[in-house]
Amino acid sequence: MAEPEFTATGVRIDKRLRSLTRAGQVRISDGRLELLTSYGSEIDSAPVQSVRASKPWFAPEDRALADLDGTRYLLTLGESDPAPGEAGPPAARRFIEAVRRAAGHSG
């Protein structure tokens, strides 16, 4: 298995108004985006080309939206990247950039 192109742990994953996990994982690997529980069970996954990642205009800086095949998830990542050697999720902006890069979109 190839090294993941993007991995974030400690991510809160919500679907509508329901929290699915408070310490989940987001991973982009082999052309797929995976949302996982803290135990590694799959919540949802989709080919990265079909994923829409965006910044909700009404939410704090640490939030990102991920639309997987019509199902919208609200991800709470970090406001900024953790310091080198520190644990914690990367910035939401980095997640959005990683999805676009993996899907072959620029900017």
Side-chain angles (χ1 to χ4, degrees):
M1 180 179 242
E3 190 68 26
E5 296 143 46
F6 177 86
T7 303
T9 57
V11 179
R12 180 182 171 128
I13 302 173
D14 297 321
K15 181 178 171 185
R16 298 204 176 136
L17 296 175
R18 193 172 136 230
S19 174
L20 301 177
T21 182
R22 290 188 212 192
Q25 300 174 47
V26 176
R27 186 168 50 207
I28 298 174
S29 182
D30 297 328
R32 288 190 73 76
L33 172 73
E34 299 174 299
L35 303 178
L36 308 169
T37 67
S38 55
Y39 300 107
S41 301
E42 184 176 292
I43 294 170
D44 202 349
S45 70
V48 77
Q49 285 85 1
S50 69
V51 174
R52 284 189 12 223
S54 60
K55 176 86 188 78
W57 60 271
F58 56 87
E61 283 296 309
D62 62 349
R63 307 277 167 83
L65 288 173
D67 194 320
L68 282 69
D69 296 324
T71 304
R72 183 171 287 173
Y73 296 93
L74 178 63
L75 310 177
T76 304
L77 293 113
E79 287 187 30
S80 59
D81 289 329
E86 294 289 315
R93 171 186 41 77
R94 215 160 65 84
F95 163 72
I96 295 167
E97 290 169 0
V99 170
R100 290 181 179 155
R101 205 171 37 251
H105 302 300
S106 60

